[in-house]
Amino acid sequence: MNIILIGYMGSGKSSLGCGLAKRLKWKFVDTDKAIEQQQGQSILDIFETKGEEHFRELERAYIQSIDSESNQIIAVGGGMPCFFDNMEQLNLKGTTIYLHRPPGELVYRLQHSKNPRPLVVGKSTEELNLFVHEALTYREQFYKRAHYQVSRKIGSATRLHDFLVQEQIILPNDPLHRPQSEQELG
Ligand code: S3P
């Protein structure tokens, strides 16, 4: 069973996902990094030389390559759930969790991030504010189709781990196995 973290750019999918994977001793995958490795190009370069549409095709192909039976924590690019039928496909590939963050916090985090994002690079604070508010309004219809939604209170790997145990998505001491009830249901 995979755990798939979705949410807007800057919502903390990668750092939370990486921390969670360490705790569970599962593999961690960041889809942006995986696509960069596959293509031998940064996301910024892919956008610049081949365009966003091509990048979205690469994301779609990546989802198809995910083995739903593996035990991975997967942090997906912020736009991935919002194109094609990707959100439905992600829901079939694992347990999806939407990391909800208020737009103001996302703007702050994006402004202080070292990771350059092609969609927001070079924007002023005012432009970024408008862009994030508008994008989030549109994208939430997709993000909200995730199996679970967690608020900013779940802001650390420890808390996310506790949440997963509480919701019986994983067992406290036996992370590679699903809860009994779920195994019985198949
Ligand atoms: C994007 C988010 C980025 C990356 C690309 C496009 C988006 O990933 O896939 O720059 O459309 O929201 P992160 O959410 O990891 O920043």
Side-chain angles (χ1 to χ4, degrees):
M1 183 210 44
N2 298 304
I3 293 173
I4 303 176
L5 303 181
I6 70 162
Y8 199 71
M9 292 181 268
S11 56
K13 295 164 295 202
S14 297
S15 54
L16 274 184
C18 188
L20 181 65
K22 278 189 189 140
R23 284 182 72 96
L24 295 174
K25 299 193 171 59
W26 289 19
K27 188 179 168 202
F28 172 68
V29 179
D30 175 314
T31 61
D32 284 341
K33 296 273 174 309
I35 291 172
E36 285 180 333
Q37 269 171 14
Q38 241 175 37
Q39 300 298 307
Q41 250 187 323
S42 70
I43 302 294
L44 213 55
D45 285 345
I46 298 173
F47 267 71
E48 264 175 31
T49 60
K50 296 174 181 151
E52 179 174 352
E53 229 173 281
H54 180 75
F55 175 69
R56 300 304 174 192
E57 291 290 348
L58 294 173
E59 285 190 312
R60 175 153 82 154
Y62 190 84
I63 299 176
Q64 282 159 5
S65 75
I66 298 172
D67 174 5
S68 52
E69 296 303 317
S70 57
N71 289 294
Q72 304 181 85
I73 308 295
I74 307 174
V76 311
M80 188 189 267
C82 314
F83 289 83
F84 315 108
D85 64 342
N86 289 354
M87 194 58 228
E88 284 63 44
Q89 295 305 317
L90 289 169
N91 278 338
L92 294 174
K93 295 289 185 177
T95 299
T96 51
I97 299 175
Y98 169 33
L99 303 183
H100 176 268
R101 302 284 179 261
E105 190 177 315
L106 294 170
V107 169
Y108 178 86
R109 290 171 61 104
L110 283 171
Q111 282 182 317
H112 293 84
S113 168
K114 290 192 189 109
N115 178 12
R117 271 93 167 182
L119 294 179
V120 297
V121 84
K123 287 201 186 325
S124 68
T125 304
E126 206 180 314
E127 288 168 339
L128 190 61
N129 251 308
L130 190 67
F131 183 82
V132 171
H133 275 82
E134 282 182 1
L136 206 55
T137 304
Y138 171 73
R139 285 185 173 186
E140 280 214 308
Q141 62 183 304
F142 301 96
Y143 295 156
K144 285 187 167 167
R145 294 183 204 160
H147 295 123
Y148 296 89
Q149 172 172 328
V150 298
S151 73
R152 63 202 293 267
K153 284 187 221 143
I154 315 267
S156 68
T158 313
R159 291 213 173 135
L160 183 56
H161 185 225
D162 290 347
F163 171 82
L164 297 173
V165 171
Q166 183 195 312
E167 293 294 326
Q168 301 194 337
I169 299 165
I170 56 170
L171 290 177
N173 300 315
D174 195 5
L176 284 180
H177 292 92
R178 294 190 206 184
Q180 191 67 31
S181 56
E182 224 179 292
Q183 284 174 15
E184 281 163 4
L185 288 171

